[in-house]
Every structure is written in C-alpha cells, then in structure tokens.
Amino acid sequence: MATQATVNGLIIGLLYLLMAVGFTLVFGVMRMVNFAHGEFYMLGAFGAYFLTSSLELPFAAAVAVTFAGAVAGGALLEWGVLQPFRRDELNGMIATIGLAMILQNVALMFFGPDPLSMPPVAEGVTRFGKVVIPTARLYVVLFACVVLALLYGFLRYSKPGRALRAVVEDSEIASIQGIRSRIYYPLGFGLGVGLAAVAGALMAPLFSVSPFVGAAPLLKAFIVVILGGLGSIPGAAAAGLLLGLVESYASLLLSGSTADMLIFAIVIVMLVARPKGLLGRGEV
C-alpha cells in the first residue's frame, strides 16, 4: 500500500512539476505572477483535444504541435501585450488577471461550458510487482519526463538556455555580461506558456476538458512555487514531488478535506519559517 502511494505521489508530483516550472520561469524572467497560467493549461488541453479528435493526429504529434504553438503564441503575447509590464509586479499581475478572464470567456464562446472527453492514450493497467499503474497514466508520465529532460538540456547546455538562466538569476548582471535581456523576455514567457500548455495536453486524456479546468492546476502551481521558492526551478522540482507525495499519503490516511487542510498548513508553516521557500529565489 505504501509503495503504491509513493508511486502515485511521484506521478502526481511530476505533473505538478511540469506546471510549476513554467510558472516559476515566467516569474524568474519577468518578476510577474502570471494569473493566466491556468488558462494556458486549459488552452493546451483544448488544443490536444482538437488535434486528436478533429484532425486525428497521433497523441505525441498533438502534444508537439500544442507546445510549439503555445511557445510561439506566448512569445508574441509577451512582445505585443505584456511588454510594458516587465518587472512591474502589481500592474503585471492585474494585466494577467484580465488576460485570464478574456481567455476563459473566449473558450466558453467557442467550446461551451460542458466538459468534453478526450479518447484515452492507452487502455488497461501495467503491473510492476504489487504496484498497479493505469497504462494511460504511464504514457503521460513518460511524455512529461521527455519534456522535462528536453527543458533541462536546453537550459543547461544550449547558449540561449544558459543566457535565459542568467537573466532569471539577475537581469542586470546578465546585461553587464553582454546578454541582451530584452530578447529573452519573450522566450522565457513563451517557454512558460508552452510548459503550461503541455501539462494541459498531457492531462486532457486523464480528465475532462472544459474552460474551467485551469483553476486547480494554477492553485497547485502556486503552492509548489511558494514551497520551492519563487523563481527557483530546482526548488519547484523538489516542491512538486514533495507535494505529490504528501497528497498521496494524506489521501491514503486522511479524508479529502483534512488532506487539503494539511497541505495549506504546510504552506503557512513554510511561509513563517522560511519565506523564501526551500531553495530561495533565483537559484537556477
């Protein structure tokens, strides 16, 4: 039972991590809390639904197209709309709240309020000894691992990725070192949007798709980045897996409402004891 709970917790934590890394990347680059992050998750879910159900693309191709479209769209959005709010935390926050409302209402106009079901990626279950995992969820975890590995390789080994990390760490020092920070604002925001959209696309086969699906993932992303430290990608990784494990064990031992209270109690204790989170801000 404990092994099953651990595996379930790691799977959930991995999906939280995918959502939270994009959220904290946007904050690290622009010093802006992106309240539209949940709506980008929702658009990614609708994108995967449309590409697989209407255009009959394979799931992997649908995820790739969704990610590419979201990165390009996010970069254009930052350049065309959010550029005046770079590093303006209050006005940027208000702008993203307005953006979230617009995106949600646009989705309501096009898709309606009723939840839609996407065909499953795979049927049946996979057994690892006594541990049983739905095969569809296993596929989703595999895709999430590939996306995170590609992101890690990009940020660690590519020149644009290293420059983006430098801007996240300290934009002024990065500028002194010859990095043109303004180029990396659209890239950072686009990548954050792309990661949120991929998380939505991966979760779409497991849950229903509707204009309101972004609220819960946004809340989880908030919790993860608060626990891990705003702007810290390693902190988001640690906190995402920790949150998944805590949720899994809590659901095993406690009622649903008690488990939720436990998670928020942990967040409050963290804010009091260590306001900067597990790994602080900007330690990329």
Side-chain angles (χ1 to χ4, degrees):
M1 188 72 75
T3 306
Q4 181 76 55
T6 302
V7 172
N8 291 341
L10 289 175
I11 292 173
I12 296 169
L14 196 62
L15 296 173
Y16 289 163
L17 167 61
L18 197 60
M19 185 73 179
V21 166
F23 188 86
T24 202
L25 187 63
V26 170
F27 180 83
V29 173
M30 301 180 67
R31 292 294 183 266
M32 175 193 295
V33 177
N34 180 15
F35 279 92
H37 203 64
E39 270 54 51
F40 294 126
Y41 170 97
M42 174 267 293
L43 291 179
F46 272 118
Y49 173 84
F50 175 77
L51 291 170
T52 55
S53 301
S54 300
L55 301 185
E56 299 184 350
L57 286 183
F59 182 66
V63 172
V65 171
T66 299
F67 176 72
V71 171
L76 286 173
L77 185 66
E78 196 283 335
W79 180 75
V81 178
L82 298 176
Q83 186 178 158
F85 307 110
R86 292 172 180 170
R87 298 187 175 268
D88 185 347
E89 295 184 24
L90 179 59
N91 290 331
M93 181 181 70
I94 294 171
T96 58
I97 291 174
L99 182 61
M101 295 177 67
I102 291 171
L103 292 176
Q104 189 175 83
N105 281 285
V106 168
L108 273 170
M109 290 169 59
F110 279 93
F111 299 104
D114 298 329
L116 302 172
S117 295
M118 185 172 160
V121 180
E123 302 284 353
V125 297
T126 301
R127 296 180 182 275
F128 299 95
K130 295 182 179 178
V131 178
V132 180
I133 304 173
T135 306
R137 185 165 290 197
L138 206 58
Y139 270 98
V140 167
V141 168
L142 179 64
F143 278 109
C145 289
V146 170
V147 171
L148 290 171
L150 291 174
L151 177 68
Y152 177 81
F154 172 75
L155 291 176
R156 186 168 182 82
Y157 298 111
S158 73
K159 187 176 178 180
R162 291 197 297 270
L164 182 60
R165 288 171 54 204
V167 173
V168 170
E169 185 73 24
D170 193 317
S171 62
E172 293 182 0
I173 297 296
S175 298
I176 293 173
Q177 296 297 321
I179 296 173
R180 298 172 64 185
S181 301
R182 291 185 177 182
I183 296 176
Y184 292 95
Y185 286 117
L187 176 62
F189 191 83
L191 273 179
V193 170
L195 290 171
V198 164
L202 292 177
M203 295 297 277
L206 305 180
F207 304 100
S208 60
V209 180
S210 82
F212 309 107
V213 295
L218 177 63
L219 179 61
K220 300 296 182 184
F222 257 121
I223 293 174
V224 168
V225 297
I226 288 171
L227 290 176
L230 274 170
S232 171
I233 294 175
L241 296 176
L242 178 65
L243 178 63
L245 288 171
V246 169
E247 278 194 354
S248 183
Y249 288 127
S251 64
L252 187 67
L253 303 172
L254 306 170
S255 66
S257 57
T258 308
D260 289 340
M261 286 191 289
L262 173 65
I263 291 167
F264 283 105
I266 292 173
V267 172
I268 292 171
V269 169
M270 176 62 75
L271 286 173
V272 173
R274 191 174 172 80
K276 290 186 177 181
L278 291 173
L279 297 181
R281 182 181 62 82
E283 294 180 13
V284 184

